[in-house]
Amino acid sequence: MPQTSSRGWQRPSIYDVARRAGVSHMTVSRVLNGHPNIRESTRSKVLQAIDEMNYTPSSIARALATRRARRIGVLIDGPVQNGPNNTLRALEKAARGVGYAVSAFSIGSDDESQMDSGVMELVTQGVDALCVIAPRASSLDLLRQQTTGLPTIVIKAEADAAWHTVGVDQRAGARLAVKHLIDLGHTSIAHLAGPQDWFDARERVQGWRESLDEAGLAHGPFVVGEWSSDFGFDFGQTFEWGDTTAVFAANDQIALGVVHGLARRGIRVPEDISVVGFDDLSDARHFLPPLTTVRQDFAELGELALQQVIAAIEGNTDPTHDTIQPALIVRESTASRA
């Protein structure tokens, strides 16, 4: 039963379990952590005591037993954007499922002190590993200057010789979007790209170019901007379309702005211009018209990132690279070119 005192209920400790089972607290710790050199009769006594006392090992006790904090430090770049934010949430959920906690530090500017401060704060918390959600090349350049001695995993689509990496295959997603438009008969396809310091934006540009090259089509209009609806809106309002009949937007916010800008000019989507986005925001199916887009499975990304984190903590030091395949979601913002 739980312990009581004059101050009320107290959670039973590992020492209480040890007394109930008639073993040392180190034996209880070994049972909790699956140590193989424990007699089955001893293991049964400890497990019975744990069950009777409704004992839940605290993170402190677990850390003392394993010399690990069971805590992952996460540096998150571009935290207000959809991709980094959803990646962090997915990683937190996956970590909780296996008893790990997450401490996050947001990098909000290009100031080198932001990276220094983030690494320092997380390291001083005694984290077991660092996971870096790093969409920008400049942030990784700063990270390369740090020496922590901790296993480090970077979430990005490209492999990196310095770290374990995991990401959604952004180039493949862009190729899905552009191939869809080509299959509908579009031969001049514009691309509205995100900031080129972002790895994902670069990869989506490459996928757009490769798909056009393979189809023997000229590269359509190419404009670099921000991850914002305002960027798409300005383009939709002012661009002289000529032979261009389709747009691949680097994210759904840009696509939303394009549709709005076109509507202000009386240009119809998809009858006059087809539009494809990227991300599949939760509201993308409610755009007018519902948006054809590329879906990233952030839950799967979080699980895969966590697997790499734990493997690195357990001693896998050789840099690995894993990717998740995105999916094309076809809705009503694209149509065949008559």
Side-chain angles (χ1 to χ4, degrees):
M1 295 293 293
Q3 305 298 302
T4 59
S5 71
S6 59
R7 292 174 293 177
W9 182 87
Q10 292 182 341
R11 184 172 66 182
S13 71
I14 193 171
Y15 298 98
D16 297 323
V17 172
R19 282 192 291 270
R20 173 68 66 92
V23 298
S24 70
H25 74 278
M26 289 303 298
T27 298
V28 175
S29 173
R30 292 188 182 100
V31 171
L32 289 172
N33 290 284
H35 198 285
N37 298 326
I38 298 290
R39 292 179 182 172
E40 193 55 41
S41 59
T42 301
R43 190 185 308 278
S44 296
K45 286 194 298 182
V46 171
L47 293 176
Q48 181 178 346
I50 288 171
D51 184 60
E52 290 173 352
M53 303 185 75
N54 194 26
Y55 170 69
T56 302
S58 70
S59 59
I60 295 174
R62 196 190 303 265
L64 289 172
T66 64
R67 298 188 183 277
R68 295 178 185 163
R70 295 188 70 84
R71 180 172 292 276
I72 301 165
V74 179
L75 286 164
I76 176 170
D77 194 7
V80 300
Q81 300 299 334
N82 178 69
N85 184 38
N86 280 337
T87 301
L88 174 63
R89 290 165 57 191
L91 180 61
E92 286 176 329
K93 182 177 180 180
R96 285 198 302 270
V98 295
Y100 274 79
V102 167
S103 294
F105 185 96
S106 296
I107 303 169
S109 73
D110 294 324
D111 184 357
E112 184 173 351
S113 65
Q114 287 278 309
M115 179 64 74
D116 290 341
S117 298
V119 171
M120 179 75 69
E121 180 169 320
L122 295 175
V123 169
T124 55
Q125 291 184 36
V127 297
D128 299 318
L130 287 178
C131 182
V132 185
I133 303 173
R136 294 184 299 169
S138 56
S139 296
L140 279 196
D141 289 342
L142 294 175
L143 184 65
R144 293 181 201 280
Q145 301 172 23
Q146 306 292 327
T147 303
T148 66
L150 290 171
T152 300
I153 292 82
V154 177
I155 298 181
K156 68 185 186 80
E158 302 165 302
D160 194 299
W163 300 296
H164 298 279
T165 52
V166 59
V168 176
D169 192 333
Q170 304 293 322
R171 191 176 301 194
R175 290 170 64 90
L176 287 173
V178 179
K179 184 178 185 302
H180 170 66
L181 293 170
I182 293 171
D183 289 346
L184 290 173
H186 297 277
T187 58
S188 180
I189 301 168
H191 180 43
L192 302 189
Q196 292 301 285
D197 187 36
W198 286 59
F199 293 109
D200 289 356
R202 294 179 186 178
E203 287 293 289
R204 293 171 197 177
V205 171
Q206 285 301 109
W208 169 73
R209 287 176 174 153
E210 290 173 358
S211 296
L212 295 174
D213 290 343
E214 288 176 6
L217 298 175
H219 296 177
F222 173 62
V223 183
V224 176
E226 299 298 323
W227 298 115
S228 71
S229 298
D230 286 342
F231 164 48
F233 178 74
D234 291 342
F235 180 87
Q237 275 208 119
T238 60
F239 179 67
E240 295 301 325
W241 291 89
D243 294 333
T244 301
T245 60
V247 178
F248 166 44
N251 72 357
D252 288 351
Q253 289 99 328
I254 296 172
L256 174 62
V258 171
V259 173
H260 185 193
L262 292 173
R264 291 285 291 268
R265 298 169 64 183
I267 299 175
R268 301 167 300 168
V269 175
E271 292 85 353
D272 301 317
I273 303 291
S274 287
V275 178
V276 180
F278 203 110
D279 281 339
D280 194 26
L281 295 176
S282 59
D283 292 333
R285 65 187 183 277
H286 299 300
F287 288 9
L288 290 176
L291 185 66
T292 295
T293 186
V294 176
R295 176 179 294 165
Q296 304 187 75
D297 190 334
F298 290 107
E300 185 180 357
L301 179 61
E303 291 281 356
L304 188 56
L306 181 66
Q307 290 173 20
Q308 280 208 8
V309 169
I310 292 175
I313 290 171
E314 293 178 350
N316 179 11
T317 57
D318 295 329
T320 57
H321 179 62
D322 292 309
T323 56
I324 293 167
Q325 294 304 304
L328 180 70
I329 308 299
V330 178
R331 297 194 179 100
E332 298 167 33
S333 66
T334 53
S336 296
R337 185 63 180 169

